[in-house]
Each structure stands twice: as structure tokens, then as C-alpha cells.
Amino acid sequence: MAAVSVFPSPGELGAALARSVAEAAAEAVASGGRFTLGLSGGSLVQLLARELPPALSAVAGSEPSRWLVAFCDERLVPPEHPESTGGAYRAQLLSQLAAPPQVLWVRSELGPAEAAREYEGRLRQAFPGEDPPQFDLLLLGVGPDGHTCSLFPGHALLQEQNSLISHLEDSPKPPPRRVTMTLPLLNAAKSVLLVATGAAKAPVIKVWAEILKFWAKSGILG
């Protein structure tokens, strides 16, 4: 079911988001033994770093040691680079967790095509018997132009139907070399939270909200 929630401040958004993640984790661990989570970068890193640790302490059964974490997209820069999504999560969030989760890191030292193939191979191994893999939860950001992950409006990757992970070397937003989840993988997730902050993103969020309402009414979303 599609729903849109609006919060008056980033702090209130972050607290609600962290609570949703913790509760989803507890439910998944209780029912299947593990929680599979896809993370996006940008403002989500700071929101989760600030709010998720206390939320995990407050929700029983949400222990990160039972989690599998992957990245919805990654910039192919060294982990210590300020544009590295994995590096940001390692420094700001994962370092706070006493029992860290299993993490599928993107090998940023590889070329784009090889990094995408290698990442997809390990992703498939982590979800045996699932084709495509079904994440319990994906946290997606959105840009002012409407892009999510590294799927930009008008880009050829929006037509990808075979690969779960693909690459690009011409990202409209730097850095240009990236790997990203594709629509077949995003669409397979059990739950998706699309998160945006700031007035600049309000127009595109209104468009997303109308699309979600249409999908829900037409049965595209369960």
C-alpha cells in the first residue's frame, strides 16, 4: 500500500524513519531470522547516524548482527572520499553499532562494469533461491530532478531489464562513475521508503505522490 507522510522538521522525519527501520528489522528477524536492508546515501546517512542507534535500543529484537546491508548505489571513489556512500556509513553509522551487520561493499577500486558484475554476483549469492532477490526494505533518496539511486530521468539505465546491478560512466551528477541497483531489483523489494528533505525537492515529491496514488489505485502496488 502506498502512503505519503510529511514531517515539519528533519529531526521528526529522522526519528520516524529510524523507528520504521527498527520495527521492520525486528519483524523480519522474528519471521525469517535476518533483515535485509538497502541503503542510499546523501542526507539519509546523517539522519540514520543520529536517529537509528537510539531507535534500535528501544525496539526489542532489532539487533543489527542479524542484518544484511547493501547499498542501492555507490560512487566509484575511494572509501575515504567524501562522495563515498559506503565510506560515509562506515564512519558515521556502522562505527556506532556494537554488533555490526553483514555488509555487501561495492569494490570501488574496480572499473565500473567489473564492479557492477562483481557486486551483483555477491548480491545473488546472499539471496540463494531468490530471483530476483527481495530486500525486506530499501531506503531511497530522491534528487530535485526526480532521480533515485543513480537512475536519472531520460537515462538508458531506466530501460535495463536483465541486470540487477548496472553501471554508468556519465552520471549527470558528479562523480560520473557509479554502480546502481536497477528497476527490476527495486521493484522486487518487499517495502520501499522514499525519503526527501528540503524545500527544493517539494515539487518532485508532489509528482511522486501522484504517481504512487495512481499505482495504488490501478493495483500496480499491493
Side-chain angles (χ1 to χ4, degrees), residues 86-165:
Y89 274 109
R90 188 197 298 270
Q92 298 182 47
L93 175 61
L94 299 177
S95 59
Q96 297 189 61
L97 305 179
Q102 178 187 355
V103 181
L104 297 180
W105 304 99
V106 176
R107 293 186 58 189
S108 59
E109 75 275 13
L110 301 177
E114 186 179 358
R117 285 194 300 269
E118 197 274 342
Y119 189 49
E120 179 169 339
R122 286 188 292 114
L123 184 63
R124 289 186 180 276
Q125 290 176 357
F127 290 81
E130 295 186 25
D131 188 20
Q134 289 187 300
F135 279 86
D136 293 309
L137 178 62
L138 296 179
L139 299 184
L140 304 181
V142 59
D145 61 355
H147 84 270
T148 189
C149 298
S150 286
L151 301 174
F152 293 88
H155 197 280
L157 281 186
L158 292 172
Q159 307 304 319
E160 178 61 52
Q161 293 297 318
N162 298 316
S163 298
L164 302 179
I165 303 292

Side-chain angles (χ1 to χ4, degrees), residues 61-79:
S62 61
E63 61 268 21
S65 62
R66 309 293 293 275
W67 296 15
L68 172 71
V69 172
F71 299 104
C72 299
D73 68 331
E74 179 59 284
R75 295 84 174 256
L76 295 185
V77 294

Side-chain angles (χ1 to χ4, degrees), residues 163-184:
S163 298
L164 302 179
I165 303 292
S166 196
H167 71 282
L168 62 166
E169 301 185 49
D170 58 351
S171 168
K173 181 180 179 181
R177 291 156 44 102
R178 301 170 177 231
V179 298
T180 182
M181 292 183 178
T182 62
L183 290 178

